[in-house]
Amino acid sequence: NAGVMQNPRHLVRRRGQEARLRCSPMKGHSHVYWYRQLPEEGLKFMVYLQKENIIDESGMPKERFSAEFPKEGPSILRIQQVVRGDSAAYFCASSPRDRGWEQYFGPGTRLTVT
Amino acid sequence: AQKVTQAQTEISVVEKEDVTLDCVYETRDTTYYLFWYKQPPSGELVFLIRRNSFDEQNEISGRYSWNFQKSTSSVNFTITASQVVDSAVYFCALSEWGGATNKLIFGTGTLLAVQP
């Protein structure tokens, strides 16, 4: 059973460009969580999605950030007009429908904004 | 509001020493989960242990042990006979149980350096 997949593993963007981060949950998992780890800090919750629904986006910055988890395909975290402060590691986790506390983390995407 | 505090930012030990990582949490929930994760220099998150708030039994798993004190809202993690490969950042995390969201609240981590 493949684990949580994230791609790309490393992403470099210039200021003002868009960044798209992808997360494929474990097989059978219908819930996805995104977390951000700024340099030298712990992970901070961003958003929790189920298929075609955003359940909790209380940790998402109000502007430029969006997330989706379509019926088919991976979950996407999209950052528009990136700024240097967006440089961070972005982790995705997935869980089974009935065990939300059982989160399995992907390897992360390291975003660098130049 | 939920909060996790790891007061130790860095710990350095010599190989084979025992080391205890401290974690204190705050929550209004009566039921919750507590977790420890390890983040080695390669950057991935490695799950170590998960316990629910009903289970206050201390646990030993190989060189790892866990001391959960609900009365003081603390959950400490001990590595016995540390090894260089244990060098990593260790995160404590908290999650509500059965709520609308199971987001994890992480502490800021403790950097453990095990010297040969």
Side-chain angles (χ1 to χ4, degrees):
Chain A
N1 188 9
V4 179
M5 310 285 285
Q6 288 189 250
N7 67 82
R9 295 291 305 275
H10 299 274
L11 182 63
V12 179
R13 284 287 178 266
R14 290 199 182 99
R15 278 179 297 171
Q17 291 185 319
E18 179 179 286
R20 282 185 180 238
L21 288 63
R22 293 174 182 76
C23 169
S24 296
M26 285 181 70
K27 187 176 180 181
H29 286 189
S30 56
H31 294 193
V32 164
Y33 302 77
W34 285 93
Y35 295 85
R36 178 166 69 171
Q37 184 178 28
L38 293 169
E40 317 258 334
E41 292 188 16
L43 281 79
K44 295 272 170 51
F45 167 78
M46 298 182 76
V47 62
Y48 162 42
L49 309 104
Q50 298 173 12
K51 288 276 188 183
E52 299 184 285
N53 278 309
I54 297 175
I55 307 302
D56 181 353
E57 56 182 345
S58 58
M60 287 280 269
K62 296 289 181 240
E63 297 177 349
R64 302 186 297 107
F65 284 72
S66 62
E68 63 177 8
F69 189 16
K71 189 175 179 182
E72 302 289 338
S75 174
I76 307 282
L77 179 67
R78 182 181 176 209
I79 312 172
Q80 295 179 290
Q81 298 175 321
V82 296
V83 301
R84 289 228 171 101
D86 297 332
S87 295
Y90 292 82
F91 288 91
C92 165
S94 72
S95 74
R97 180 182 59 81
D98 55 348
R99 297 196 300 278
W101 36 262
E102 193 176 304
Q103 295 178 27
Y104 296 82
F105 280 84
T109 293
R110 272 129 190 101
L111 172 66
T112 302
V113 180
T114 61
Chain B
Q2 296 177 318
K3 184 179 178 182
V4 176
T5 302
Q6 294 179 256
Q8 304 155 307
T9 51
E10 290 187 39
I11 299 176
S12 182
V13 299
V14 177
E15 207 170 16
K16 297 185 184 174
E17 284 185 13
D18 298 348
V19 56
T20 295
L21 310 178
D22 299 333
C23 176
V24 174
Y25 61 92
E26 296 174 29
T27 181
R28 292 180 185 166
D29 297 326
T30 55
T31 54
Y32 46 88
Y33 281 97
L34 295 161
F35 305 78
W36 278 95
Y37 286 88
K38 171 183 176 180
Q39 188 174 42
S42 52
E44 75 272 22
L45 271 177
V46 178
F47 167 76
L48 294 175
I49 192 167
R50 174 186 64 239
R51 299 302 290 270
N52 66 56
S53 53
F54 287 111
D55 188 354
E56 294 189 63
Q57 263 194 333
N58 292 325
E59 179 173 310
I60 297 176
S61 175
R63 295 187 300 110
Y64 299 152
S65 63
W66 156 288
N67 184 0
F68 178 27
Q69 301 271 346
K70 199 169 181 179
S71 59
T72 56
S73 296
S74 68
V75 54
N76 299 334
F77 183 72
T78 297
I79 303 173
T80 303
S82 60
Q83 301 173 2
V84 173
V85 293
D86 295 327
S87 296
V89 180
Y90 289 80
F91 291 102
C92 179
L94 167 72
S95 171
E96 66 177 5
W97 181 352
T101 175
N102 292 111
K103 63 186 178 187
L104 296 175
I105 309 298
F106 284 86
T108 50
T110 297
L111 173 61
L112 173 64
V114 181
Q115 310 294 338

